[in-house]
């Protein structure tokens, strides 16, 4: 209801101006026009639902007009970047755990790296990679990696340091090597931290993939869909792509949560 009221307020001036040029109009006609405009400033919810239905169910998934087609393009770079970012974050966290030098020198740079706006760095990454012949999926995946490795690194560092000092002393008493302590104590203890950070990372990876499509002039992907909508004033298309991106993020976070429950259950944790 709030959205519908907002649509009336935002679209009122434009639509009433059109109606006024055509003749007299009533308030009911103005409200109906605000909720059914072809190019509204703020589309009504039912317009977005209709657009989603047409672009998901009424066209072939392989058609460039299909949101399924564009979602798959974005999802591919999202998942690849998420995997790269997770692996990189875990490796950095392990290095920081075992090296005080890395902890004092690398960790500040990891934090500083996230202060650079992704909209500023994405075009540079695209240009540099294109200059060495790297095109297509990888540049967008690298941008996703840039956004997703940070939460994994921070979460894993905290998780690997989570075990109580008594437990680490016990492992030392049993003459466990650092690798054995890592695999049998620290890594299992870090799983809740890891999966929590991965939920943040997979959503950030999706944002990175969409942002990565913007400076490339891509013709496929949700980012390309947003660009095309902005070029031609198709706000309904823009909002439908945003809703699809939100649904994708929710599903990806849910899938990570399923993996978390399966992993913790395998360790004997209570559901």
């Amino acid at each position: 209801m709030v959205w519908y009221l907002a649509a009336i307020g935002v679209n009122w001036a434009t639509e009433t101006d059109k109606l006024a040029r055509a003749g007299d109009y009533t308030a009911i006609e103005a409200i109906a026009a605000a909720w059914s405009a072809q190019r509204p400033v703020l589309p009504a919810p039912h317009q977005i639902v209709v657009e989603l239905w047409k672009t998901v169910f009424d066209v072939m998934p392989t058609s460039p007009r299909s949101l399924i087609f564009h979602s798959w393009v974005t999802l591919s770079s999202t998942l690849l970047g998420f995997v790269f970012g997770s692996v990189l974050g875990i490796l950095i966290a392990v290095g920081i755990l075992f090296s005080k030098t890395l902890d004092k020198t690398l960790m500040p740079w990891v934090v500083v790296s996230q202060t650079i706006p992704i909209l500023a760095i994405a075009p540079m990454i695209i240009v540099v990679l294109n200059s060495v012949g790297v095109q297509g999926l990888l540049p967008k995946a690298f941008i996703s990696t840039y956004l997703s490795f940070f939460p994994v690194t921070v979460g894993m560092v905290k998780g690997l340091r989570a075990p109580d000092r008594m437990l680490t002393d016990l492992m030392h008493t049993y003459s466990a090597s650092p690798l054995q302590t890592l695999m049998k104590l620290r890594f299992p203890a870090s799983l809740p931290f890891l999966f929590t950070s991965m939920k943040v990372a997979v959503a950030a990876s999706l944002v990175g993939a969409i942002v990565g499509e913007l400076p490339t002039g891509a013709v496929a992907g949700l980012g390309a869909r947003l660009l095309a909508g902005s070029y031609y004033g198709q706000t309904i298309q823009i909002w439908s792509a945003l809703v699809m991106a939100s649904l994708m993020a929710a599903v990806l976070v849910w899938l990570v949560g399923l993996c978390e429950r399966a992993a913790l259950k395998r360790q004997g944790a209570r559901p």
Side-chain angles (χ1 to χ4, degrees), residues 15 19-20 45 47 55-56 61-62 134 179 188-189 196 203-204 220 231 268:
E15 298 308 314
L19 292 172
Q47 292 180 292
T55 54
V56 172
T62 55
V134 179
L179 181 59
T196 299
Y231 287 156

Side-chain angles (χ1 to χ4, degrees), residues 149-160:
F149 89 96
F150 176 73
V152 175
T153 300
V154 174
M156 275 300 289
V157 169
K158 186 175 182 179
L160 292 174

Side-chain angles (χ1 to χ4, degrees), residues 104-123:
K104 293 182 179 180
T105 59
L106 184 59
M107 192 61 180
W109 285 106
V110 170
V111 176
V112 169
S113 70
Q114 301 303 301
T115 64
I116 304 174
I118 188 61
L119 287 175
I121 198 172

Side-chain angles (χ1 to χ4, degrees), residues 123-255:
M124 294 187 289
I125 294 176
I126 298 296
V127 170
V128 170
L129 292 179
N130 282 341
S131 67
V132 296
V134 179
Q135 299 177 350
L137 186 66
L138 283 178
K140 295 184 292 182
F142 287 153
I143 295 171
S144 295
T145 300
Y146 173 79
L147 287 181
S148 61
F149 89 96
F150 176 73
V152 175
T153 300
V154 174
M156 275 300 289
V157 169
K158 186 175 182 179
L160 292 174
R161 291 172 174 172
D164 189 84
R165 180 64 181 269
M166 292 179 61
L167 295 176
T168 57
D169 289 343
L170 181 61
M171 295 295 291
H172 182 70
T173 302
Y174 289 151
S175 299
S177 66
L179 181 59
Q180 289 174 323
T181 302
L182 173 67
M183 299 306 297
K184 296 182 180 297
L185 175 62
R186 295 188 182 276
F187 189 74
S190 71
L191 286 182
F193 297 88
L194 172 61
F195 281 107
T196 299
S197 60
M198 287 174 69
K199 291 176 184 178
V200 178
V202 74
S205 183
L206 176 60
V207 173
I210 294 174
V211 171
E213 292 167 351
L214 300 180
T216 62
V219 296
L222 293 178
R225 191 79 173 172
L226 292 172
L227 274 180
S230 65
Y231 287 156
Y232 300 106
Q234 297 290 343
T235 52
I236 300 177
Q237 176 178 309
I238 294 174
W239 276 92
S240 64
L242 290 174
V243 170
M244 179 61 76
S246 300
L247 293 175
M248 283 177 56
V251 171
L252 290 172
V253 171
W254 175 71
L255 290 175

